[in-house]
Amino acid sequence: MSMKPLSAPLTYVMFSVAIITKIYFGAHKKMSLRPKNIDFDYTWKILKQTVEEVITLGHIPRNVWSDRFTDVYTLCVAFPEPLADRLYQKTREFLENHVRKLYELVESSDEGLLVSYYKYWTIYSQGVGYLNKLYMYLNTQHIKKQKFNEADLQYGRADSADTLMEIGELGLEIWKKNMIEKLKDNLVHLLLEGVRLDRIQDGPNQSVFHGAVQSFVQVEEYKKEDNLEMYRQIFEAPFLKNTGDYYKLEASRLLQENDCSQYMEKVLQKLDDEDLRSRKFLHPSSYSRVTRECEQRMVADHLQFLHGECKKMVYQERRKDLRNLYLLLKSIPSALEALILELQQHITKNGLEVVNSLRGDNIPQAFVESLLEVHEKYSNLIKTVFSGDQQFVGALDKACSSVINHKGNPKFLCRSPELLAKYCDSLLKKNAKTCTETEIEQKLTQSITIFKYIDDKDVFQKFYARMLAKRLIYNQSMSMDAEEAMINKLKQACGYEFTSKLHRMFTDISVSSDLNSRFMQYLRDQNTELGINFSISVLQAGAWPLGQTAISPFAIPQELEKSVQNFEDFYSSRFNGRKLTWLHHLCNAELKLCYLKKSYIVTMSTYQMAILLLYETADEVAYPEILENTKLSDEQLTKQIQSLLESKLLVASDSEKPIDSGSFVLNKEYSNKRTKFKLTAVIQKETTQQEVEQTHVSVDEDRKLYLQAAIVRIMKARKILRHNALIQELINQAKNRFLPNISMIKKCIEALIDKQYIERTPNSTDEYSYVA
């Protein structure tokens, strides 16, 4: 029969056993599997003919193959002494002689050394594979049993040179020593020449080239360790050196003939070509090494040139060039750092230019939306040009953080938290702008992007809480769902503790609504009529940022006394021990003006209402009289009268006199296009600079308390800690809310030492211990 590749060793084993069974138990009843005397020379002579046919891929009938398979078995179990060792030696001698003849044929061939080598290797390697199957019994029952295990070889209890090899392994080893070792210099020279020709578009025969290279791998594939050692030594090492020398010269040529953009494009093309060449000719283990060698010669060796062009590419945002530069630099250690730094500086510069150019009335909106545009623009650039590389994302984050937390003057406070809070306030307030809930939701989500970059998140929290309080108190929220959604976004960004007071503010509004209903029921039960519509909001002092600095002495108008007294009686009857503090400066009232040509319903502050109620019995009232009746402070009263003069409900009898010495007349000629309108109360006007300063002062006080509490927690857990370690832990704990000032930390430590929470250890000046 002719030799055909078998599908798998297992298939052949089953086939062989079937043949043996048939011979000994089927047609040939006289034959036995028992060991017997056998003439080795005679048997080997017959077996040798088949071995020669196998190794040369000759024609072997099926019955001959089966008989020779049986002969191998018979020799291995011969009586009185197995002849396996003699069979192994004879087979070895045959293979050595055969390879020596092939070596002479390869050297003298007219086809060329490489082609001839590939032709004979192809036949021999397949033949050795078949021969290994023919000698399967010898391999499995004799050679494997005599092989030393790995532990014996590792600990020196055996010499690896003495170990027997399976016939297939032996055949490959003989080829390596008697063919490759002798021809390696000529073979490698021809292979390298073939690569050179391929690089100039005149490539060698791929199957011949690849087959020859693969032979260096296949002859050692049976090894469990270092099975690529010979391949790397005799071929890969000189190939890499040859490749490096070639591309070193090629890079120099390209630099002389091209500008940076063209150079990068051509280098990328050559890298792709060389990668394809590697996959055509080389073993997979060489792919990355070849690429590294090419990158070293054409990229790493010319980093100074590429980095020199980097700044201009980033400044002009040449996306194609930046993409090419990124692809070239990303595999070179530390090579991307210059590009990353340039991009970070470019984003920072553009961001600061946008921020510094903001002018006009609506700066909060312009500030947030401009920064979002910058962030989106460069996020897109990083995604498309730099494949979303996290190093560049980090550069974007650093740049945005630098812009958002930038202080134009170190003496001034950063305005970003305040501006962001005002932007959110403008979205959540009822206003004339027609924005759908979906649009507002989208903008609020985008605002969180800016929020995450803010260092002083506690400053934002303070401003946001004050603005939220005003929206809730004056019923100015566009949507309670939107308010709650925004608070949940902040909670996801900073945790529950950050928004706990905001949640309590919502709870108070809900509880107050229920409380009003119960108060109305209480009045009905008491058969009491107030004569006016009266509703209140009871707010927890600890949750609402309503400082009492704006509270002024105030005499409640007679029209309100009954309502206030009744509510206090109702509240004290249900909540024993709670104290109510009336925040009249935050209250609103609706007044119906009936003295004009047509009636008007005006919403105003309680203070403004108290002043206007004085005009029910007089058309002109002097300042001292107003002061006496309202008991307001001079500062507060002046502001309220000024607002009424500006609204033209009152007119000064003598415009040249200052407010605190004049008298004021009710303007009976007042007219307005709207019959229902609102006077802007002083407290509801846009946050003044004084309030901003008060907010920052409040933040500083909160920070001191936060830091002191954190220090105590840390020291209670650690007991003893050095100064620098304490500061580092404190910064790590506080960084999600704000960046602590070192001087503030030191003051807090000193305060806790004075309060005897901690103390300095006796043996060290920079170590603290917890005082239990």
Side-chain angles (χ1 to χ4, degrees):
M1 66 175 180
S2 60
M3 299 299 296
K4 295 182 179 179
L6 298 171
S7 60
L10 181 60
T11 306
Y12 185 75
V13 171
M14 295 174 66
F15 165 75
S16 302
V17 173
I19 292 296
I20 293 171
T21 304
K22 182 177 178 181
I23 291 172
Y24 290 107
F25 300 106
H28 303 277
K29 298 290 185 180
K30 296 180 181 179
M31 298 190 69
S32 172
L33 290 175
R34 294 177 182 176
K36 59 183 180 179
N37 286 316
I38 189 168
D39 185 344
F40 178 83
D41 292 334
Y42 175 76
T43 304
W44 168 245
K45 183 178 179 182
I46 297 173
L47 179 59
K48 181 180 176 183
Q49 293 174 359
T50 301
V51 169
E52 190 166 356
E53 289 294 324
V54 170
I55 204 70
T56 57
L57 302 184
H59 174 75
I60 302 175
R62 181 181 293 275
N63 64 323
V64 173
W65 174 272
S66 300
D67 290 344
R68 298 296 81 76
F69 193 93
T70 304
D71 289 342
V72 172
Y73 168 80
T74 306
L75 290 171
C76 290
V77 299
F79 180 83
E81 182 181 351
L83 299 172
D85 288 336
R86 284 189 67 187
L87 175 61
Y88 183 84
Q89 292 301 325
K90 285 292 185 180
T91 305
R92 180 173 190 156
E93 289 172 8
F94 170 80
L95 290 173
E96 286 176 344
N97 291 330
H98 179 69
V99 173
R100 288 191 190 99
K101 291 177 184 176
L102 292 180
Y103 170 74
E104 292 173 0
L105 291 173
V106 169
E107 271 208 317
S108 60
S109 174
D110 296 332
E111 297 176 297
L113 183 68
L114 198 60
V115 174
S116 178
Y117 171 85
Y118 170 70
K119 181 180 75 173
Y120 288 116
W121 160 251
T122 303
I123 297 171
Y124 180 81
S125 60
Q126 291 182 43
V128 165
Y130 293 130
L131 191 62
N132 195 57
K133 291 176 173 56
L134 182 64
Y135 278 76
M136 186 172 293
Y137 189 84
L138 178 70
N139 290 335
T140 57
Q141 300 301 319
H142 179 69
I143 294 174
K144 284 189 176 180
K145 287 183 179 180
Q146 294 189 28
K147 274 189 173 182
F148 297 108
N149 60 37
E150 292 182 11
D152 292 332
L153 296 173
Q154 184 175 353
Y155 293 104
R157 292 194 290 268
D159 185 358
S160 60
D162 296 335
T163 59
L164 295 178
M165 307 172 79
E166 293 182 25
I167 296 302
E169 298 172 358
L170 177 66
L172 295 175
E173 186 67 19
I174 289 171
W175 180 273
K176 181 177 76 172
K177 290 183 177 179
N178 293 281
M179 183 71 77
I180 294 179
E181 292 290 344
K182 294 179 180 179
L183 292 176
K184 62 181 181 182
D185 292 339
N186 290 334
L187 283 175
V188 171
H189 173 75
L190 291 172
L191 290 170
L192 295 180
E193 180 62 20
V195 172
R196 187 189 70 79
L197 292 174
D198 190 72
R199 285 174 180 149
I200 59 175
Q201 306 304 320
D202 187 17
N205 185 306
Q206 182 177 340
S207 59
V208 172
F209 192 102
H210 183 263
V213 171
Q214 286 298 109
S215 72
F216 302 150
V217 176
Q218 291 167 355
V219 292
E220 290 194 335
E221 273 185 336
Y222 64 87
K223 290 185 176 181
K224 291 183 179 180
E225 296 180 1
D226 296 330
N227 57 5
L228 294 175
E229 182 180 7
M230 190 184 77
Y231 165 76
R232 286 176 181 159
Q233 285 181 352
I234 72 170
F235 177 74
E236 187 185 75
F239 176 80
L240 290 176
K241 183 180 182 307
N242 180 273
T243 299
D245 292 342
Y246 174 81
Y247 282 109
K248 184 177 181 179
L249 294 173
E250 191 68 7
S252 298
R253 181 184 68 80
L254 291 174
L255 284 171
Q256 291 176 358
E257 297 174 359
N258 302 278
D259 60 23
C260 186
S261 297
Q262 295 168 331
Y263 177 77
M264 290 190 297
E265 286 186 7
K266 291 184 178 179
V267 167
L268 284 170
Q269 183 60 51
K270 289 192 175 294
L271 288 173
D272 288 342
D273 293 345
E274 195 63 31
D275 182 63
L276 180 60
R277 189 172 294 112
S278 297
R279 294 175 191 279
K280 282 198 304 183
F281 299 144
L282 309 183
H283 186 266
S285 66
S286 297
Y287 297 167
S288 59
R289 292 186 177 90
V290 173
T291 300
R292 278 200 301 272
E293 185 65 28
C294 296
E295 288 173 340
Q296 180 65 37
R297 298 306 167 207
M298 292 191 288
V299 182
D301 289 352
H302 303 284
L303 277 182
Q304 187 175 358
F305 166 71
L306 294 172
H307 284 164
E309 296 290 321
C310 178
K311 189 178 184 70
K312 188 187 297 182
M313 290 182 204
V314 173
Y315 177 74
Q316 297 174 355
E317 295 184 15
R318 286 152 38 191
R319 293 196 168 210
K320 184 179 179 182
D321 286 347
L322 288 172
R323 174 69 177 166
N324 290 341
L325 184 61
Y326 169 72
L327 293 173
L328 291 176
L329 297 182
K330 68 177 183 178
S331 301
I332 310 299
S334 304
L336 278 176
E337 290 177 2
L339 178 57
I340 293 168
L341 183 60
E342 286 293 344
L343 182 68
Q344 180 181 330
Q345 292 174 348
H346 178 66
I347 297 172
T348 303
K349 179 175 176 289
N350 281 5
L352 289 175
E353 286 176 356
V354 167
V355 171
N356 293 333
S357 65
L358 295 178
R359 299 288 185 275
D361 298 331
N362 200 356
I363 288 181
Q365 182 178 350
F367 171 79
V368 174
E369 293 182 354
S370 297
L371 287 179
L372 285 173
E373 286 178 9
V374 171
H375 184 272
E376 184 178 2
K377 173 185 175 181
Y378 290 105
S379 292
N380 177 266
L381 183 142
I382 289 168
K383 183 178 179 180
T384 56
V385 174
F386 304 118
S387 303
D389 192 314
Q390 287 303 306
Q391 296 179 85
F392 290 90
V393 173
L396 173 64
D397 289 343
K398 289 178 183 177
C400 289
S401 179
S402 176
V403 172
I404 291 170
N405 297 293
H406 176 71
K407 298 177 183 177
N409 187 328
K411 295 180 181 179
F412 296 155
L413 297 167
C414 177
R415 291 197 64 201
S416 297
E418 177 192 347
L419 293 174
L420 181 61
K422 287 181 177 178
Y423 174 74
C424 295
D425 183 57
S426 69
L427 291 174
L428 293 166
K429 254 184 186 177
K430 291 178 182 175
N431 52 42
K433 294 180 180 178
T434 55
C435 283
T436 64
E437 287 191 14
T438 304
E439 290 173 337
I440 289 174
E441 170 71 17
Q442 184 180 1
K443 289 184 177 182
L444 289 174
T445 301
Q446 290 174 336
S447 70
I448 296 296
T449 301
I450 304 298
F451 171 73
K452 289 179 179 178
Y453 289 118
I454 290 177
D455 288 339
D456 298 330
K457 291 182 173 61
D458 56 339
V459 177
F460 168 85
Q461 181 198 40
K462 191 70 71 174
F463 278 107
Y464 186 87
R466 290 196 172 195
M467 294 171 189
L468 172 63
K470 291 179 182 179
R471 292 197 298 274
L472 294 178
I473 289 171
Y474 299 121
N475 194 26
Q476 291 179 333
S477 289
M478 184 202 70
S479 163
M480 296 304 284
D481 289 339
E483 293 280 9
E484 192 169 2
M486 182 60 186
I487 292 175
N488 287 331
K489 293 183 201 311
L490 294 173
K491 182 169 70 174
Q492 288 174 2
C494 288
Y496 175 75
E497 183 185 353
F498 187 83
T499 57
S500 59
K501 289 185 178 180
L502 304 181
H503 281 294
R504 283 160 60 191
M505 290 163 69
F506 266 88
T507 303
D508 284 352
I509 294 298
S510 177
V511 170
S512 294
S513 177
D514 180 59
L515 198 61
N516 276 305
S517 299
R518 289 160 63 187
F519 177 55
M520 291 298 108
Q521 184 60 46
Y522 168 81
L523 293 175
R524 286 193 289 271
D525 294 342
Q526 298 290 327
N527 292 320
T528 302
E529 288 289 338
L530 298 179
I532 61 172
N533 291 327
F534 181 81
S535 66
I536 52 84
S537 295
V538 179
L539 315 175
Q540 298 179 62
W544 292 73
L546 305 173
Q548 299 187 11
T549 54
I551 294 179
S552 167
F554 180 58
I556 299 172
Q558 186 178 358
E559 291 83 353
L560 289 178
E561 284 181 355
K562 183 179 179 182
S563 301
V564 170
Q565 187 59 50
N566 272 280
F567 184 80
E568 287 184 342
D569 293 342
F570 158 76
Y571 194 79
S572 61
S573 68
R574 280 161 175 71
F575 303 101
N576 188 26
R578 293 190 184 180
K579 181 185 177 182
L580 290 175
T581 301
W582 292 87
L583 304 177
H584 297 293
H585 64 290
L586 297 177
C587 297
N588 276 339
E590 271 191 3
L591 223 59
K592 187 173 183 180
L593 307 182
C594 301
Y595 60 89
L596 298 167
K597 293 177 181 179
K598 59 180 178 178
S599 297
Y600 295 95
I601 297 175
V602 188
T603 302
M604 61 186 68
S605 74
T606 309
Y607 293 161
Q608 291 170 333
M609 177 197 69
I611 295 170
L612 286 179
L613 286 175
L614 297 176
Y615 287 88
E616 284 198 311
T617 56
D619 289 340
E620 183 174 350
V621 183
Y623 181 87
E625 189 178 348
I626 299 174
L627 186 64
E628 176 64 25
N629 280 277
T630 60
K631 304 298 184 186
L632 288 169
S633 64
D634 283 320
E635 180 185 1
Q636 189 63 252
L637 182 57
T638 301
K639 289 181 179 179
Q640 300 301 332
I641 293 175
Q642 182 64 41
S643 68
L644 290 170
L645 290 172
E646 289 174 358
S647 68
K648 298 182 181 179
L649 287 174
L650 294 182
V651 178
S653 58
D654 186 350
S655 59
E656 294 183 1
K657 286 185 178 181
I659 290 176
D660 58 2
S661 61
S663 60
F664 310 96
V665 180
L666 196 63
N667 181 11
K668 294 184 178 181
E669 300 300 322
Y670 179 82
S671 66
N672 196 317
K673 291 180 181 180
R674 302 172 63 184
T675 57
K676 189 172 182 179
F677 58 92
K678 180 178 182 180
L679 293 183
T680 304
V682 176
I683 193 67
Q684 289 177 255
K685 288 184 179 178
E686 187 178 355
T687 308
T688 62
Q689 185 60 36
Q690 183 182 1
E691 285 180 308
V692 171
E693 291 173 1
Q694 288 173 357
T695 302
H696 284 289
V697 169
S698 175
V699 167
D700 282 343
E701 292 303 316
D702 288 348
R703 286 183 177 182
K704 289 174 185 176
L705 294 175
Y706 178 89
L707 291 174
Q708 289 182 26
I711 292 168
V712 171
R713 283 198 304 270
I714 293 168
M715 292 305 302
K716 189 174 182 179
R718 296 301 188 90
K719 305 303 181 189
I720 296 177
L721 204 59
R722 289 194 172 275
H723 178 78
N724 289 339
L726 174 60
I727 287 180
Q728 190 58 50
E729 282 205 38
L730 200 56
I731 290 173
N732 288 337
Q733 283 196 18
K735 65 184 179 182
N736 287 332
R737 291 177 60 89
F738 63 96
L739 290 179
N741 185 286
I742 300 299
S743 63
M744 182 182 286
I745 293 176
K746 290 180 179 178
K747 288 177 182 177
C748 290
I749 291 173
E750 293 298 329
L752 290 173
I753 292 174
D754 293 340
K755 295 175 184 177
Q756 297 184 348
Y757 282 97
I758 60 175
E759 64 182 7
R760 288 187 174 86
T761 55
N763 300 327
S764 177
T765 57
D766 69 337
E767 190 175 62
Y768 308 105
S769 62
Y770 178 68
V771 178

